[in-house]
Amino acid sequence: MSAPKFPKPSEFAADTRVQLVEETGHYIFTDPSDGGEYEYDEAKGAWFPMWNESLVEQQQSIYGTEQDDDVVEEQESTKRKNKGLARKKENTSVYVSGLPLDTTDEEMVAFFSQCGTIMPDIVTNKPRVKLYRDASGELKGDALVTYYKAPSVQLAVDILDDSRFRPTNSTNIQVQEAKFENKAEHSGEADKTKRLRVDSKLVQKRLNQLERKLDWVDDAGEVADRHKRTVILKHMFTLKELEEDITMLLDLPEDVRAECEKLGKVTSVKVYDLSEDGVIAVKFKDELSAKACVQVCAL
């Protein structure tokens, strides 16, 4: 069977065989000849087959059930190859529960931006934060937050789970990695008509805007990057304590490094021994570890 003729990115918007899956932001191509689905990889500029269990079973039924060992082995080999081609998607979303029933989108963005950049919506360009509501339109106390980078998910789970959303709250929120069901397994072909069609040029524009924003931050200079990875700890000692025990200057850096290493790789620890505020600067290898340290110190 020959491969289908795939459309170019400039043709996505006009091609009825191409649809955008809003949850993932990826384009899906459906081959009308056999129902096979392919996902477009923007980084590689190519289409890749998607694993479809029901389609394989359907193809197997055409050949019947009485097959010799060579045919069965060949089919199993094809299955394994197809599974290998089906690339595992990185999850970039967290599910949040236990929120106050008057939570706003602005509060969610401010709180969860501590762990990374929140992905903007392709159409509205607003941060992708979804507060769930019941049938009457009232908030249910749970939400979905989608980040731009996958590492932000684990960071949010590590430092925001079981924390106070507001200082005045009496209960803590729960943050966990979002789990998505395969809707195709439950809804069948009817779900395909519900996929939102978005102009591919708009998608690319939004992604380019986000990349430029991140590049601007990254290219702001080595000094700015170093500051993002540095945490300033105050009131770690007093001048009187240093006068009474000079060995503290040797012990403090080691003790602070040992504690901070639990959150990430530490590259340097500097004690400002003349500081009246008892300042110690800790520089981490990456920004996520520094953010984790700030969050832990704030608890």
CSV table of all heavy atoms in Angstrom, one decimal, residues 160-194:
chain,number,residue,atom,x,y,z
A,160,LEU,N,3.8,22.7,44.9
A,160,LEU,CA,2.5,23.3,45.1
A,160,LEU,C,1.5,22.4,45.6
A,160,LEU,O,0.5,22.8,46.1
A,160,LEU,CB,2.0,23.9,43.7
A,160,LEU,CG,2.9,25.0,43.1
A,160,LEU,CD1,2.3,25.6,41.9
A,160,LEU,CD2,3.2,26.1,44.1
A,161,ASP,N,1.7,21.1,45.5
A,161,ASP,CA,0.7,20.1,46.0
A,161,ASP,C,0.7,20.2,47.5
A,161,ASP,O,1.7,20.4,48.2
A,161,ASP,CB,1.1,18.7,45.6
A,161,ASP,CG,0.1,17.7,46.1
A,161,ASP,OD1,-1.1,17.9,46.0
A,161,ASP,OD2,0.5,16.6,46.6
A,162,ASP,N,-0.5,20.2,48.1
A,162,ASP,CA,-0.7,20.3,49.5
A,162,ASP,C,-0.2,21.6,50.1
A,162,ASP,O,0.3,21.6,51.2
A,162,ASP,CB,-0.1,19.1,50.2
A,162,ASP,CG,-0.7,18.9,51.6
A,162,ASP,OD1,-1.8,19.2,51.9
A,162,ASP,OD2,0.1,18.4,52.5
A,163,SER,N,-0.4,22.7,49.3
A,163,SER,CA,0.0,24.0,49.8
A,163,SER,C,-1.3,24.9,49.9
A,163,SER,O,-2.3,24.6,49.4
A,163,SER,CB,1.0,24.6,48.8
A,163,SER,OG,0.4,24.9,47.5
A,164,ARG,N,-1.1,26.1,50.5
A,164,ARG,CA,-2.2,27.0,50.6
A,164,ARG,C,-2.3,27.9,49.3
A,164,ARG,O,-1.3,28.5,49.0
A,164,ARG,CB,-2.0,27.9,51.8
A,164,ARG,CG,-2.0,27.2,53.1
A,164,ARG,CD,-3.4,26.8,53.5
A,164,ARG,NE,-3.4,25.9,54.7
A,164,ARG,CZ,-3.5,26.4,55.9
A,164,ARG,NH1,-3.6,27.7,56.1
A,164,ARG,NH2,-3.5,25.6,57.0
A,165,PHE,N,-3.4,27.9,48.7
A,165,PHE,CA,-3.6,28.7,47.5
A,165,PHE,C,-3.7,30.2,47.9
A,165,PHE,O,-3.2,31.1,47.2
A,165,PHE,CB,-4.9,28.3,46.8
A,165,PHE,CG,-5.2,29.1,45.5
A,165,PHE,CD1,-4.4,28.8,44.4
A,165,PHE,CD2,-6.2,30.0,45.4
A,165,PHE,CE1,-4.6,29.5,43.2
A,165,PHE,CE2,-6.4,30.7,44.2
A,165,PHE,CZ,-5.7,30.4,43.1
A,166,ARG,N,-4.3,30.5,49.0
A,166,ARG,CA,-4.3,31.8,49.6
A,166,ARG,C,-3.9,31.7,51.1
A,166,ARG,O,-4.2,30.7,51.8
A,166,ARG,CB,-5.7,32.4,49.6
A,166,ARG,CG,-6.3,32.7,48.2
A,166,ARG,CD,-7.7,33.1,48.3
A,166,ARG,NE,-8.4,33.2,47.0
A,166,ARG,CZ,-9.7,33.3,46.8
A,166,ARG,NH1,-10.5,33.1,47.8
A,166,ARG,NH2,-10.2,33.4,45.6
A,167,PRO,N,-3.2,32.7,51.6
A,167,PRO,CA,-2.7,32.6,53.0
A,167,PRO,C,-3.9,32.5,54.0
A,167,PRO,O,-3.8,31.9,55.1
A,167,PRO,CB,-2.0,33.9,53.2
A,167,PRO,CG,-1.6,34.4,51.9
A,167,PRO,CD,-2.7,33.9,50.9
A,168,THR,N,-5.1,33.0,53.6
A,168,THR,CA,-6.2,33.0,54.5
A,168,THR,C,-7.0,31.7,54.4
A,168,THR,O,-7.9,31.5,55.2
A,168,THR,CB,-7.2,34.1,54.1
A,168,THR,OG1,-7.5,34.1,52.8
A,168,THR,CG2,-6.5,35.5,54.4
A,169,ASN,N,-6.7,30.8,53.5
A,169,ASN,CA,-7.4,29.5,53.4
A,169,ASN,C,-7.1,28.6,54.5
A,169,ASN,O,-6.0,28.5,55.0
A,169,ASN,CB,-7.1,28.8,52.1
A,169,ASN,CG,-7.7,29.6,50.8
A,169,ASN,OD1,-7.1,29.5,49.8
A,169,ASN,ND2,-8.8,30.2,51.0
A,170,SER,N,-8.1,27.8,54.9
A,170,SER,CA,-7.9,26.9,56.0
A,170,SER,C,-7.5,25.5,55.5
A,170,SER,O,-7.1,24.6,56.3
A,170,SER,CB,-9.2,26.8,56.9
A,170,SER,OG,-10.3,26.4,56.1
A,171,THR,N,-7.7,25.3,54.2
A,171,THR,CA,-7.4,24.0,53.6
A,171,THR,C,-6.4,24.1,52.5
A,171,THR,O,-6.2,25.2,51.9
A,171,THR,CB,-8.7,23.3,53.1
A,171,THR,OG1,-9.3,24.1,52.1
A,171,THR,CG2,-9.7,23.0,54.2
A,172,ASN,N,-5.7,23.1,52.1
A,172,ASN,CA,-4.7,23.1,51.1
A,172,ASN,C,-5.3,22.6,49.8
A,172,ASN,O,-6.3,21.8,49.7
A,172,ASN,CB,-3.5,22.2,51.5
A,172,ASN,CG,-2.8,22.8,52.7
A,172,ASN,OD1,-3.0,24.0,53.1
A,172,ASN,ND2,-1.9,22.0,53.3
A,173,ILE,N,-4.6,23.0,48.7
A,173,ILE,CA,-5.0,22.4,47.4
A,173,ILE,C,-4.2,21.2,47.0
A,173,ILE,O,-3.2,20.9,47.6
A,173,ILE,CB,-4.8,23.5,46.3
A,173,ILE,CG1,-3.3,23.9,46.2
A,173,ILE,CG2,-5.7,24.7,46.5
A,173,ILE,CD1,-3.0,24.8,44.9
A,174,GLN,N,-4.7,20.4,46.1
A,174,GLN,CA,-4.0,19.2,45.6
A,174,GLN,C,-3.6,19.4,44.2
A,174,GLN,O,-4.5,19.9,43.4
A,174,GLN,CB,-4.9,18.0,45.8
A,174,GLN,CG,-5.1,17.5,47.2
A,174,GLN,CD,-6.0,18.4,48.0
A,174,GLN,OE1,-7.1,18.6,47.5
A,174,GLN,NE2,-5.6,18.8,49.1
A,175,VAL,N,-2.4,19.2,43.8
A,175,VAL,CA,-1.9,19.3,42.5
A,175,VAL,C,-1.3,18.0,42.0
A,175,VAL,O,-0.5,17.4,42.7
A,175,VAL,CB,-0.8,20.4,42.4
A,175,VAL,CG1,-0.3,20.6,41.0
A,175,VAL,CG2,-1.4,21.8,42.9
A,176,GLN,N,-1.8,17.5,40.9
A,176,GLN,CA,-1.3,16.2,40.4
A,176,GLN,C,-1.2,16.3,38.8
A,176,GLN,O,-1.8,17.2,38.2
A,176,GLN,CB,-2.2,15.1,40.8
A,176,GLN,CG,-3.6,15.2,40.2
A,176,GLN,CD,-4.5,14.2,40.8
A,176,GLN,OE1,-4.7,14.2,42.0
A,176,GLN,NE2,-5.1,13.3,40.0
A,177,GLU,N,-0.4,15.4,38.3
A,177,GLU,CA,-0.2,15.4,36.8
A,177,GLU,C,-1.6,15.0,36.2
A,177,GLU,O,-2.3,14.1,36.6
A,177,GLU,CB,0.8,14.3,36.5
A,177,GLU,CG,1.1,14.2,35.0
A,177,GLU,CD,2.2,13.2,34.6
A,177,GLU,OE1,2.9,12.8,35.6
A,177,GLU,OE2,2.3,12.8,33.5
A,178,ALA,N,-2.0,15.8,35.2
A,178,ALA,CA,-3.3,15.5,34.6
A,178,ALA,C,-3.3,14.2,33.8
A,178,ALA,O,-2.2,13.9,33.2
A,178,ALA,CB,-3.6,16.7,33.6
A,179,LYS,N,-4.4,13.5,33.8
A,179,LYS,CA,-4.5,12.3,33.1
A,179,LYS,C,-5.6,12.4,32.0
A,179,LYS,O,-6.7,12.9,32.4
A,179,LYS,CB,-4.9,11.1,34.0
A,179,LYS,CG,-3.9,10.9,35.1
A,179,LYS,CD,-2.5,10.4,34.6
A,179,LYS,CE,-1.6,10.2,35.8
A,179,LYS,NZ,-0.2,9.8,35.4
A,180,PHE,N,-5.3,12.1,30.8
A,180,PHE,CA,-6.3,12.3,29.7
A,180,PHE,C,-6.7,10.9,29.2
A,180,PHE,O,-5.9,10.0,28.9
A,180,PHE,CB,-5.8,13.1,28.6
A,180,PHE,CG,-5.4,14.5,29.0
A,180,PHE,CD1,-4.1,14.8,29.3
A,180,PHE,CD2,-6.4,15.5,29.2
A,180,PHE,CE1,-3.8,16.1,29.7
A,180,PHE,CE2,-6.1,16.8,29.6
A,180,PHE,CZ,-4.7,17.1,29.8
A,181,GLU,N,-8.0,10.7,29.0
A,181,GLU,CA,-8.5,9.5,28.4
A,181,GLU,C,-8.5,9.6,26.9
A,181,GLU,O,-8.6,10.7,26.3
A,181,GLU,CB,-9.9,9.1,28.8
A,181,GLU,CG,-10.0,8.8,30.3
A,181,GLU,CD,-11.4,8.3,30.7
A,181,GLU,OE1,-12.3,8.5,29.8
A,181,GLU,OE2,-11.6,7.9,31.8
A,182,ASN,N,-8.4,8.5,26.2
A,182,ASN,CA,-8.4,8.5,24.7
A,182,ASN,C,-9.9,8.6,24.3
A,182,ASN,O,-10.6,7.6,24.4
A,182,ASN,CB,-7.8,7.2,24.1
A,182,ASN,CG,-7.7,7.3,22.6
A,182,ASN,OD1,-8.3,8.2,22.0
A,182,ASN,ND2,-7.0,6.3,22.1
A,183,LYS,N,-10.4,9.8,23.9
A,183,LYS,CA,-11.8,10.0,23.6
A,183,LYS,C,-12.3,9.1,22.5
A,183,LYS,O,-13.4,8.7,22.4
A,183,LYS,CB,-12.0,11.4,23.3
A,183,LYS,CG,-11.9,12.4,24.5
A,183,LYS,CD,-12.2,13.8,24.1
A,183,LYS,CE,-12.0,14.7,25.3
A,183,LYS,NZ,-12.3,16.1,24.9
A,184,ALA,N,-11.3,8.8,21.6
A,184,ALA,CA,-11.7,8.0,20.4
A,184,ALA,C,-12.2,6.6,20.8
A,184,ALA,O,-13.1,6.1,20.1
A,184,ALA,CB,-10.6,7.9,19.4
A,185,GLU,N,-11.7,6.1,21.9
A,185,GLU,CA,-12.1,4.8,22.3
A,185,GLU,C,-13.6,4.8,22.8
A,185,GLU,O,-14.2,3.8,22.9
A,185,GLU,CB,-11.2,4.3,23.4
A,185,GLU,CG,-9.8,4.1,22.9
A,185,GLU,CD,-8.9,3.6,24.1
A,185,GLU,OE1,-9.4,3.5,25.2
A,185,GLU,OE2,-7.7,3.3,23.8
A,186,HIS,N,-14.1,6.0,23.3
A,186,HIS,CA,-15.4,6.1,23.9
A,186,HIS,C,-16.4,6.7,22.9
A,186,HIS,O,-17.6,6.3,23.0
A,186,HIS,CB,-15.3,6.9,25.2
A,186,HIS,CG,-14.3,6.3,26.2
A,186,HIS,ND1,-14.6,5.2,26.9
A,186,HIS,CD2,-13.1,6.7,26.5
A,186,HIS,CE1,-13.6,4.9,27.7
A,186,HIS,NE2,-12.6,5.8,27.4
A,187,SER,N,-16.0,7.6,22.1
A,187,SER,CA,-16.9,8.4,21.3
A,187,SER,C,-16.9,8.0,19.9
A,187,SER,O,-17.9,8.4,19.1
A,187,SER,CB,-16.6,9.9,21.4
A,187,SER,OG,-16.6,10.3,22.8
A,188,GLY,N,-15.9,7.3,19.4
A,188,GLY,CA,-15.9,6.8,18.0
A,188,GLY,C,-15.7,8.0,17.0
A,188,GLY,O,-15.2,9.0,17.3
A,189,GLU,N,-16.3,7.8,15.8
A,189,GLU,CA,-16.1,8.8,14.7
A,189,GLU,C,-16.8,10.1,15.0
A,189,GLU,O,-16.4,11.1,14.5
A,189,GLU,CB,-16.6,8.2,13.4
A,189,GLU,CG,-15.9,7.0,13.0
A,189,GLU,CD,-14.4,7.3,12.7
A,189,GLU,OE1,-14.2,8.4,12.1
A,189,GLU,OE2,-13.6,6.4,12.9
A,190,ALA,N,-17.8,10.1,15.9
A,190,ALA,CA,-18.6,11.3,16.1
A,190,ALA,C,-17.7,12.4,16.7
A,190,ALA,O,-17.9,13.6,16.5
A,190,ALA,CB,-19.7,11.1,17.1
A,191,ASP,N,-16.7,12.0,17.5
A,191,ASP,CA,-15.8,13.0,18.1
A,191,ASP,C,-15.0,13.8,17.1
A,191,ASP,O,-14.5,14.9,17.4
A,191,ASP,CB,-14.9,12.3,19.1
A,191,ASP,CG,-15.2,12.7,20.6
A,191,ASP,OD1,-16.1,13.5,20.7
A,191,ASP,OD2,-14.5,12.2,21.5
A,192,LYS,N,-14.7,13.2,16.0
A,192,LYS,CA,-13.8,13.8,15.0
A,192,LYS,C,-14.4,15.1,14.5
A,192,LYS,O,-13.7,16.1,14.2
A,192,LYS,CB,-13.5,12.9,13.8
A,192,LYS,CG,-12.7,11.7,14.2
A,192,LYS,CD,-12.4,10.8,13.0
A,192,LYS,CE,-11.5,9.6,13.4
A,192,LYS,NZ,-11.2,8.8,12.3
A,193,THR,N,-15.7,15.2,14.5
A,193,THR,CA,-16.4,16.4,14.0
A,193,THR,C,-16.3,17.5,15.0
A,193,THR,O,-16.6,18.7,14.6
A,193,THR,CB,-17.9,16.1,13.6
A,193,THR,OG1,-18.5,15.7,14.8
A,193,THR,CG2,-18.0,15.0,12.6
A,194,LYS,N,-16.0,17.2,16.2
A,194,LYS,CA,-16.0,18.2,17.3
A,194,LYS,C,-14.6,18.9,17.4
A,194,LYS,O,-14.4,19.8,18.1
A,194,LYS,CB,-16.3,17.6,18.6
A,194,LYS,CG,-17.8,17.0,18.7
A,194,LYS,CD,-18.1,16.5,20.0
A,194,LYS,CE,-19.5,15.8,20.1
A,194,LYS,NZ,-19.7,15.3,21.4
